[in-house]
Amino acid sequence: MWGFVLSFAALTPLAAGTFMVCSGTEFTLTAGGSGYTAYEWSLGGSVVGTSAGLTATHTLPPESAGAAETRVYSLRAQDATGCWSDLATHTVYILPVPTVSITDPISLYCANENVMTTLTANAGATSNMPAGIAYTYTWTGGGTPAGNTLAVTAAGTYQVSVAYDFTNVTLDGAKAACTGTDSHTITPATAPAAPSVTIN
């Protein structure tokens, strides 16, 4: 009597992941592991890719540009025996481009007065953002920067760039190097000539 032994190759486990990308940025999710002969990527129940890498772009529509959106991709892989692995999910957060504005507490500068003010960069409110994301502020044009503020002592044009800071976020990768910018120009108004005084 003959005996039959069925052997199955051990599939390397597929790991789930969390990724962040900027709206309109092309990104590629690449499957890791070894021993696979076929792949199947799904989004929303529909198969969207059958190779080791999946390239996609998600652009937020204008009406929701102030809110992040989430896409959950599922990946399974098949080995030479024809067995499929369990599904691994990959959460991709689509982040809007940061919006920023600069406020100045002084509304009028006069040419015969010293310029002295502190500009403040205000990042626009964004909903549905993953916890832990902060902002980095980069000022140009002079002055003394301190985070989202800039101490200014001269007329001129000052610009700030705001980008996402993922330092306190646990994730497997990011492709969200998008920035929002704004500028503010200080142009002192010409002061009137000193009045003359007569006595009659």
Side-chain angles (χ1 to χ4, degrees):
M1 183 174 183
W2 296 92
F4 295 92
V5 177
L6 297 177
S7 62
F8 297 91
L11 284 176
T12 303
L14 293 172
T18 301
F19 305 90
M20 307 210 181
V21 301
C22 187
S23 173
T25 301
E26 181 180 275
F27 62 92
T28 300
L29 299 176
T30 303
S34 59
Y36 305 123
T37 59
Y39 301 86
E40 186 178 271
W41 297 86
S42 299
L43 177 63
S46 300
V47 175
V48 292
T50 56
S51 60
L54 176 73
T55 300
T57 303
H58 295 289
T59 300
L60 298 176
E63 61 269 20
S64 63
E69 293 188 6
T70 305
R71 301 285 188 273
V72 179
Y73 287 91
S74 297
L75 169 65
R76 66 176 186 158
Q78 187 182 55
D79 68 3
T81 67
C83 294
W84 285 94
S85 69
D86 291 331
L87 288 174
T89 59
H90 305 273
T91 302
V92 179
Y93 292 97
I94 314 301
L95 308 182
V97 175
T99 58
V100 59
S101 61
I102 296 175
T103 57
D104 184 348
I106 300 177
S107 58
L108 175 65
Y109 294 89
C110 298
N112 59 345
E113 299 175 348
N114 292 330
V115 172
M116 185 172 293
T117 189
T118 298
L119 305 178
T120 301
N122 306 286
T126 303
S127 60
N128 302 329
M129 293 287 281
I133 294 180
Y135 296 100
T136 59
Y137 300 85
T138 303
W139 293 90
T140 58
T144 303
N148 71 322
T149 64
L150 180 72
V152 171
T153 58
T157 298
Y158 302 91
Q159 185 176 61
V160 66
S161 295
V162 179
Y164 293 117
D165 181 354
F166 301 113
T167 303
N168 297 317
V169 181
T170 300
L171 72 165
D172 299 283
K175 194 172 184 181
C178 56
T179 58
T181 62
D182 192 28
S183 63
H184 179 73
T185 301
I186 296 176
T187 305
T190 302
S196 61
V197 178
T198 60
I199 187 170
N200 295 322

